[in-house]
Amino acid sequence: MSLTSPPPPGIGLLDLARLRSRTLLFFAAAALGLLVSGYVVTRSGMPVWGGTLLFLGAVAVPAGLKWRDDFVAWGPAVMVLSVLLTLQGFHTVEHVVQVAQFYVLGQPGIRSQGLISSLNIEWVHFTWNWLAAAGVYFVFARGMRGVWGWALLLWVTAHSLEHTLMLARYLSMEQSVMDMTMTSFPVGQALPGILGRDGWLATHVPVLRAIPGLASLPRVMIHFNWNVGEMTFLLLAARAGLPRLLSPPLPFPKDTRPHD
């Protein structure tokens, strides 16, 4: 594309969801992943999280090729947005499963671990949230702003800061456990953060305890609300800001235009 060429045709969120030439490969990989993961979980006793990882590994290749196609067709900003929508969407589903385990199956919060329980640990959530925040900062800088873009930016930053506090608490408790010569303690994603029951607001701002949910919700619901909010703002910001991500770069002034 030349510096003065018109912008490419507009696209919408549904265009980002289409697999295009990777459709057959994706569904073939998904079918194979389901068959293999289902077999090993039911026949070999592999935990559900292991089967989930096998399935995700199978569809990772066509998904990666699809994102490469997005990069070639629409540039890096749209590709990053496509990755964010996909991964955050799956992450939100994971929290829906955790809520179902907690409220429908009646499991305690510490056992409501979702589909990939082995990754439901503080380091993983801390890393994932700041990587997601970096992606949001990138598309924001490239033009996905407006009211919903700012709302998403503030939300993802606050969410990541809460996970930073939770990781700090986890590391502090881990050191205490090590000092007592204990090897481990099962508190992954069960420690309080800023919001919810026993969170920072509940312990430092007692007046907020009267606000329903803000200082009383269990941790599993706090995570669910954070991620549903993040996914909602991401969709709204993407719908409004996607055209700006497609805009071509501004042309050089005449006196600084590069010459052949």
Side-chain angles (χ1 to χ4, degrees):
M1 181 189 300
S2 70
L3 293 174
T4 57
S5 62
I11 62 171
L13 291 181
L14 289 180
D15 295 296
L16 290 186
R18 292 191 178 98
L19 298 168
R20 301 187 298 281
S21 63
R22 311 298 179 180
T23 301
L24 181 60
L25 177 61
F26 179 86
F27 282 105
L32 178 62
L34 282 174
L35 287 173
V36 173
S37 60
Y39 179 83
V40 296
V41 168
T42 57
R43 295 300 182 91
S44 69
M46 176 182 283
V48 172
W49 65 261
T52 304
L53 289 178
L54 282 176
F55 173 79
L56 293 177
V59 299
V61 172
L65 292 173
K66 186 266 182 190
W67 291 329
R68 178 182 177 277
D69 294 341
D70 292 343
F71 176 85
V72 172
W74 299 309
V78 174
M79 183 204 71
V80 170
L81 177 60
S82 180
V83 173
L84 279 173
L85 287 166
T86 303
L87 297 186
Q88 183 59 34
F90 175 79
H91 191 62
T92 302
V93 170
E94 176 81 341
H95 284 285
V96 171
V97 173
Q98 291 176 5
V99 169
Q101 290 172 332
F102 184 76
Y103 285 104
V104 179
L105 300 181
Q107 297 179 356
I110 202 168
R111 293 189 59 193
S112 301
Q113 298 288 310
L115 297 172
I116 315 180
S117 57
S118 65
L119 297 181
N120 194 28
I121 55 179
E122 301 299 344
W123 274 109
V124 171
H125 279 266
F126 170 83
T127 303
W128 160 251
N129 277 278
W130 279 112
L131 285 175
V136 169
Y137 299 156
F138 177 74
V139 294
F140 182 87
R142 294 295 294 264
M144 199 179 80
R145 298 172 190 168
V147 173
W148 297 121
W150 277 104
L152 173 63
L153 188 77
L154 295 174
W155 189 275
V156 74
T157 301
H159 188 188
S160 300
L161 288 174
E162 178 168 63
H163 277 285
T164 301
L165 173 62
M166 292 174 65
L167 178 62
R169 284 185 167 181
Y170 178 85
L171 294 176
S172 176
M173 289 189 65
E174 184 180 49
Q175 184 59 50
S176 299
V177 168
M178 292 176 63
D179 291 341
M180 293 186 290
T181 68
M182 297 172 62
T183 57
S184 64
F185 59 109
V187 295
Q189 286 299 287
L191 291 176
I194 297 174
L195 304 175
R197 186 184 305 161
D198 299 322
W200 188 89
L201 290 179
T203 56
H204 290 77
V205 191
V207 68
L208 295 180
R209 296 174 187 169
I211 301 177
L214 188 62
S216 61
L217 281 177
R219 176 55 34 190
V220 66
M221 278 304 300
I222 293 297
H223 286 308
F224 173 79
N225 290 337
W226 271 122
N227 282 278
V228 168
E230 192 166 315
M231 191 66 201
T232 300
F233 286 135
L234 180 59
L235 286 169
L236 292 171
R239 183 176 182 274
L242 186 54
R244 288 189 288 275
L245 296 183
L246 288 167
S247 299
L250 294 175
F252 287 96
K254 287 185 178 181
D255 57 340
T256 60
R257 189 185 302 275
H259 300 283
D260 294 331

